[in-house]
Amino acid sequence: MLIGCRSAPRAAEPRAPDWLATKIKGFADSAAANPPELVASYTYQGRLVYYVSPRCCDQYSVLYDSTGTELCAPDGGITGRGDGRCPEFIAQRSNEKILWRRPALRTEKN
């Protein structure tokens, strides 16, 4: 008899709101469009926010609030410091949860 034996509860997978899930699906479906490296959620200034990393080079990242409203570009751009509207985001963010990450490119060996 296995009375009282239970496996530990699994942590819930982070879940993206519908508006963000749609964006992530677009990133995943359009590899040719050079999608961002990752999409993550954080706690910032006491609220849940969503960070979309820059796609490449001198492009901005985008930080959204929970409703999908763009808040700022915390990094990226020519200077790498974003648009200046939330310069403290990188230092103050916490509780990172990766919601999507670009799959690693596979290379074939001959």
Side-chain angles (χ1 to χ4, degrees), residues 22 32 44 100 109:
T22 299
Y44 169 61
W100 180 82
K109 295 181 182 178

Side-chain angles (χ1 to χ4, degrees), residues 53-97:
S53 71
R55 291 181 179 203
C56 177
C57 315
D58 294 332
Q59 296 181 3
Y60 287 131
S61 62
V62 181
L63 190 67
Y64 297 95
D65 70 10
S66 61
T67 67
T69 300
E70 186 175 319
L71 300 173
C72 64
D75 58 3
I78 293 172
T79 65
R81 295 186 196 137
D83 62 10
R85 293 186 291 158
C86 57
E88 68 290 329
F89 170 73
I90 300 299
Q92 293 180 3
R93 66 187 176 179
S94 63
N95 300 319
E96 177 182 74
K97 292 181 179 66

Side-chain angles (χ1 to χ4, degrees):
M1 274 179 109
L2 296 174
I3 298 174
C5 292
R6 261 190 211 172
S7 61
R10 285 176 50 177
E13 289 292 317
R15 178 158 155 39
D18 291 342
W19 63 266
L20 185 56
T22 299
K23 284 185 178 295
I24 290 170
K25 182 171 179 358
F27 299 150
D29 288 349
S30 61
N34 193 14
E37 294 296 322
L38 68 88
V39 176
S41 67
Y42 294 93
T43 301
Y44 169 61
Q45 295 183 340
R47 61 184 171 167
L48 183 62
V49 295
Y50 297 94
Y51 171 85
V52 177
S53 71
R55 291 181 179 203
C56 177
C57 315
D58 294 332
Q59 296 181 3
Y60 287 131
S61 62
V62 181
L63 190 67
Y64 297 95
D65 70 10
S66 61
T67 67
T69 300
E70 186 175 319
L71 300 173
C72 64
D75 58 3
I78 293 172
T79 65
R81 295 186 196 137
D83 62 10
R85 293 186 291 158
C86 57
E88 68 290 329
F89 170 73
I90 300 299
Q92 293 180 3
R93 66 187 176 179
S94 63
N95 300 319
E96 177 182 74
K97 292 181 179 66
I98 303 298
L99 303 174
W100 180 82
R101 184 181 300 270
R102 184 191 337 210
L105 296 176
R106 294 184 181 187
T107 57
E108 293 185 51
K109 295 181 182 178
N110 293 336

